[in-house]
Amino acid sequence: MSEQFIEVDRLRALLVQNHGPSDSLLRDGDEEFTSEIVLARIENVIEAILTSLSKSEAPTLTVLNRSCWSNIRFEDDIGLHAASDYTVSTIRSDCSRSVTRFATTLKVLSVIYKMVQSNSYATKRDIYYNDTQLFGSQRTVDLIVDDISCMLRVPRRNLHVLASSKGFIAGDLCYTEEDGTKVNCDSGSMVCETAGRQSWFLPMFVGKGVPDVNSRLMSMSFDAHNLTVPAVMWLGLLPSDIERLNVPKDALIPFTKRDHSKLQSLQKRPYFNSQPLWKKEIELMLKWQQKAEIQCLTSIAPDYLTRVYLPNKLRFGGWI
């Protein structure tokens, strides 16, 4: 099976050559995010609030506007990242629409400060249960944590906040944790689970259908150098694969209005036209007005995904 990953190893070597050692992706310039730096940045925020209060001014917080696509740029070797000329949102303490957000942000900042100071960790769920009446919902905490990470320009893991307590990995990997514990991930077969279906496959590793940051360390464009994988590949299932493999039509799912709107939105994103292969695949989906889950490959054979599809893709390419 290891020979199937020769191309993957070649791409990894190329990335290391282009970007230097992997730990360089965890830096802001030449600066490492030590606990002292994180604490200092939080203190700067609080100091600015106190300064405003001393002048009888309403304190504000300023964060990058993460919902605006004009703040996003795309580069082949980085992926999505925040533009240098980004727009910002102001969270005011004297505005009825934002005063709750201001208060909840300060609450989460105080929790983070204590955790970094004591070198302890918590999940976002733990923070929510710290004051459920104030936060109202888990989503409130999720958004605030990302806002704080963006505002401080500090990777979320350096804030000592975890997406969840879980995360799975298996394969030809050994590593040493900070306390000196040696971990060997090559522990035999594992379950590769998606949407309720299980199959055995090595040495691939998958955690969840929608992986958390612990598993994938990617998503937030404002922290691209720390949180994104520069050359993530679309392995499958490609729309062109559906046609090439002659997947039965009754295994496909008709488009909804939401699906159509989502694809139209993707076509308007600033990086879309620079990716002709993505464009081709999405145009096929729009043409057919159908979509497919990767489980539809079981309509060809029960073990087609793990026995044929993935091994051939990894051995011969075909991803984009």
Side-chain angles (χ1 to χ4, degrees):
M1 182 67 74
S2 61
E3 65 184 29
Q4 298 174 3
F5 291 85
I6 293 176
E7 180 65 13
V8 175
D9 290 339
R10 186 189 69 79
L11 288 171
R12 178 189 176 280
L14 182 61
L15 286 173
V16 171
Q17 178 181 345
N18 291 339
H19 292 276
S22 59
D23 63 357
S24 67
L25 299 179
L26 304 179
R27 301 170 181 263
D28 179 12
D30 293 328
E31 184 178 54
E32 292 188 18
F33 292 103
T34 62
S35 296
E36 290 75 15
I37 289 175
V38 177
L39 293 174
R41 294 190 182 185
I42 296 176
E43 290 166 0
N44 288 340
V45 173
I46 302 303
E47 183 179 358
I49 292 175
L50 294 176
T51 299
S52 295
L53 290 173
S54 68
K55 297 178 180 179
S56 299
E57 298 174 352
T60 62
L61 297 170
T62 303
V63 297
L64 185 150
N65 187 350
R66 294 185 291 112
S67 63
C68 181
W69 276 104
S70 63
N71 280 340
I72 306 300
R73 300 290 183 270
F74 180 85
E75 296 180 19
D76 289 338
D77 59 344
I78 296 176
L80 295 178
H81 64 98
S84 57
D85 55 341
Y86 55 83
T87 60
V88 297
S89 298
T90 301
I91 307 173
R92 302 190 61 85
S93 61
D94 61 347
C95 174
S96 59
R97 292 191 303 173
S98 61
V99 65
T100 301
R101 185 180 174 192
F102 184 91
T104 50
T105 300
L106 289 186
K107 174 64 175 180
V108 177
L109 267 175
S110 70
V111 173
I112 290 173
Y113 189 90
K114 292 174 183 177
M115 290 194 300
V116 175
Q117 197 174 44
S118 62
N119 194 31
S120 57
Y121 291 80
T123 66
K124 291 190 292 184
R125 194 67 174 167
D126 294 331
I127 296 176
Y128 167 66
Y129 280 113
N130 190 279
D131 196 330
T132 57
Q133 290 189 343
L134 174 63
F135 296 127
S137 69
Q138 180 66 59
R139 178 168 171 75
T140 298
V141 175
D142 297 347
L143 294 174
I144 288 174
V145 169
D146 287 347
D147 278 343
I148 290 174
S149 178
C150 180
M151 178 173 63
L152 300 179
R153 292 288 177 174
V154 172
R156 194 173 77 192
R157 61 189 177 280
N158 292 93
L159 299 178
H160 289 219
V161 179
L162 307 175
S164 74
S165 58
K166 296 181 287 185
F168 309 95
I169 189 169
D172 188 12
L173 173 67
C174 298
Y175 67 92
T176 303
E177 296 187 343
E178 290 183 348
D179 62 1
T181 302
K182 296 184 182 300
V183 179
N184 183 357
C185 302
D186 188 10
S187 58
S189 300
M190 69 161 295
V191 175
C192 176
E193 191 275 337
T194 175
R197 296 192 60 87
Q198 297 180 344
S199 56
W200 299 94
F201 187 72
L202 269 177
M204 295 298 291
F205 47 89
V206 172
K208 305 172 183 176
V210 181
D212 55 59
V213 171
N214 287 343
S215 301
R216 59 192 166 96
L217 287 180
M218 57 183 298
S219 72
M220 295 177 284
S221 62
F222 66 85
D223 196 22
H225 286 84
N226 294 307
L227 292 180
T228 57
V229 179
V232 63
M233 304 297 182
W234 183 0
L235 181 61
L237 181 67
L238 303 179
S240 57
D241 288 337
I242 297 173
E243 185 176 50
R244 178 176 60 86
L245 299 175
N246 198 25
V247 175
K249 290 185 177 181
D250 58 5
L252 304 180
I253 304 171
F255 258 21
T256 63
K257 290 184 178 180
R258 187 171 183 273
D259 294 328
H260 194 270
S261 297
K262 187 66 174 178
L263 286 185
Q264 287 184 322
S265 174
L266 285 171
Q267 289 179 311
K268 295 177 182 177
R269 294 183 182 181
Y271 57 84
F272 184 77
N273 288 330
S274 66
Q275 302 297 319
L277 294 179
W278 297 2
K279 186 175 181 180
K280 177 184 176 183
E281 297 293 340
I282 288 178
E283 286 174 347
L284 282 176
M285 293 183 71
L286 285 170
K287 176 184 176 182
W288 298 333
Q289 294 291 297
Q290 290 179 313
K291 61 183 180 181
E293 296 182 352
I294 200 166
Q295 289 89 346
C296 75
L297 294 179
T298 60
S299 63
I300 301 174
D303 59 350
Y304 188 83
L305 173 63
T306 54
R307 182 177 59 84
V308 180
Y309 181 84
L310 286 176
N312 283 339
K313 282 267 182 159
L314 291 170
R315 177 177 295 169
F316 304 114
W319 55 71
I320 61 174

